[in-house]
Amino acid sequence: MKVSAPERLRCEYRVNPLGIDVAQPRLSWQLRDKRRGARQTAYRVRAAGRPGDLEAGDNLLWDSGRVESDQSVHVPYGGPAPASKQRCYWQVRTWDEGGAESPWSDPAWFEMGLLDREDWEAEWIASSLVGGPRTTVPVPYMRKDIALDGAVAAARLYITALGVFEAHINGRRVGEDVLAPGWTYFPKQVRYHVYDVARLLKKGDNTLGAILGDGWYCGHIEKLPRQVHGDRPKLLARLEVELKDGTKQVVLSDGTWKTCFGPLLEADLIMGEAYDARLEMPGWDRPGFDDSGWLPVKTMPDEGMDLVAYRGPAMRCVEEIKPVAKPRKGRHGWIFDLGQNMVGVVRLKIEGAAGKTVTIRHAEMMNPDDSLHTENLRTARATDYYTPAGNGVEEWTPRFTFHGFRYVELQGIREQPRRDAVTGVVIHSDMESTGRFKCSDKLVNQLQHNIRWGQKGNFLDVPTDCPQRDERLGWTGDAQVFIRTACFNMEVAGFFTKWLQDIRDAEGPEGTVPSIVPISAPGLAGSDGGPAWADATTICALTIYEEYGDLRALEEHYDCMVRYVAYQSSTARDYLRCRDGCGYSQGFGDWLALDGGEGWSGRTHKELIGTVFFARSTQLLAQAARALGKARDASRYEKQYEKIRKAFQKRFVTPGGLVAGQTQTCYVLALHFDLLPESLREAALAELVRDIEKRGMKLSSGFVGTSYLPHVLTRFGKTDIAYALLAQEEWPSWLYAVTQGATTIWERWDGWTHDKGFQDKAMNSFNHYAYGAIGEWLYRTVAGLGVDPAKPGYKHLVIRPLPGGKLTHAEAELRTMYGIAKSGWRIKGKKLRMEVVVPPNTTAAVHIPGPVAGKVTESGKPAGDADGVSVVDENTLEVTAGSYVFETRWEDK
Ligand code: BGC
């Protein structure tokens, strides 16, 4: 049989990345082979500097030769270390399990960015006018006319800003990225973008332009005054043009550029944007524009931070949403309902009188009197202003802000606007959608929808808590709680690789990790985020390793984890942490739990949580050490984990199996992290179940306990209780918000209730992904699709669906690094039918949900006789790649 060429070639998770700075990029590909048992036994990669050479196999930069290996993901490029700006074309061919050779794949490429600071040569430039901590100045536009002496063969724009930029060439926007270059801890690093701009340039006169917003560098972050990192936005750019005659022309940002203020009067991420169309400067980004009134830019000193290539997916306008109804007259203006709590901006399309400003306000919820509910936005103004030029129908989309909203209110318009006056433009890091979950319960499907939208709305370059109020911060606790679910819904490897770097940049000299990353205020530098927040450092690194098989992410992060665990160890007393009066952070507790206690931290002792996460991080570090082949470290941390476990038992566990505090979260943590003696697990589990039942089948846990709760119930044989919690429609429950029309996950179980109305307005977000962590359980347990941590990156899958509750059907799909995996089941009468797809070059353990009442068949044959299936025991099969349909008799327990 003919073997197809490998496909979906990726370099560092990306398709043909332009501008990377990874010294030895990793290459991945997928086999295009649906046959049972399809796998790779060998590969050969070759690379060349020119496509022609690659095809001819001449002048190769690298030829791996035939490598006997089944590795098809993260294969390190083996050619000489690529130089700055070098482009490598590469392709791969594989040999299958029968030794048949595939054709060469289509070529792919990667291109290096500027690897040394000196390569830039450019200077930082800015406007002379500066705002203050509470006052802003209009947004600077910058321009530079250039003449090119011949036709253009190739051109690259290397560009970044302290602040956010939009680049223009000859009247056209460069690229599609928004809010570039995103958010990093600027004293340490800023990322740059690279664009192929050959097609925007021409022989003769050209103009390079840029608009510079405040962004995270000098605009409002949180509720702090402006200018946390610097006083004004700055631009750094290098345009490199290769002419057809082989000569090179380079244009740098320097003192010869000019700047002016234009129609963008204000732009702030939290506050919003103001645009006066009467002040537009037609042609400012084109040759021939009269810039005699513009001022020279000011060159600024280099602040010395690292310039690093963009790693994760950039932020983009990913989709658009139309209002679900005609606008209606609300209490203060025209109300548009987009039907979805979203993050981004509104594109306005109106016909207005010159100078008559339209105010655009945003909110997630409406008040009973038909006014926008903006109290929960706190100091975030979340308001944009557009002043028409009076030129008929005008369209405007803000550039340098974003809001979290479902409802839009337009003020300043007398007549009923058209429905298309408002379009929701959704912005987030442009992650590939990889997962899908669906089942027979509509409410649960809506829950999954809400989880996905929580992810979209809160993955804007950093994982944030919420996108609407004056916070929008990279809370570490929230991110670690949600990361597993995030990995199912979308490809987040690049996103989190970048954020792990942010963690390293935020790490204190003693090994502490703050509660917020990137650090939003200088005061947070070197601070300790406390249990379950700071532990994001170990949890996220290990999760990315397990989900994507990314050993390098682990390697790069290892020392940071070591230092963090050393910090925990040095502040522990007798292997216990966070005692009252300990003198360091006790953290946030089981944030927002509903089990009593003071404030919002719940009743679970902070000391217990502190010790649990000390154990957990130590255990994860041991796993990391094992994976990296550091056996000595591994056994040291394994021993330390045992000691913490003993100390935990001595201090918190009674001989009868009660865990101090007796909250649901106490039991969940002790069970999930194996901190109890085996003999006491039953008793502890019984306490957990008793508490849930006593509350009328309701949970009471907060951010920390909730994410593990359903897993603990499943692991210890109480999946029925987990299903009962899932089906619960009264608060606190996942479905309560769904029954209230939620389209995202709420921060609080009781964000709004019939009897109390809105929760505390000081902290009540309706788009907070933490409780969306149930998503992992939906994929893994309800549909039954998961990774085997022993063979990370889905090299070996664990298919273990556990039908339950009233569900009659569930299915999940995940695009793994190897290809699409599926697990789905359906109960029809007395039959259970399972459909499983195992990607090529992987294998899977398939657990038939039991007790198996009859023989298991595969496509009609006894499973044991089916091609690709080996029977391990009555319930367990081991299968090769391919598609399978299993059936068994099903009896409701
Ligand atoms: C954030 C959280 C965060 C918490 C920590 C809140 O203001 O919104 O999600 O984890 O503070 O206490």
Side-chain angles (χ1 to χ4, degrees), residues 465-466 469 471 475 478 533 588 591 703 747 763 768:
D465 56 334
C466 58
R469 65 180 178 225
E471 195 152 351
W475 282 98
D478 305 42
W533 268 250
F588 301 96
W591 191 242
F703 279 21
E747 176 173 28
M763 218 189 71
H768 228 79

Side-chain angles (χ1 to χ4, degrees), residues 67 90 134 211 242 262 347 488-489 493 599 631 698 707:
V67 181
W90 66 280
R134 302 279 176 197
I211 313 176
E242 200 185 303
R347 185 169 64 241
F488 277 106
N489 288 327
K698 286 182 181 170
S707 62

Side-chain angles (χ1 to χ4, degrees), residues 848-863:
I848 309 290
V852 173
K855 286 251 173 311
V856 179
T857 61
E858 193 287 310
S859 301
K861 288 187 207 160

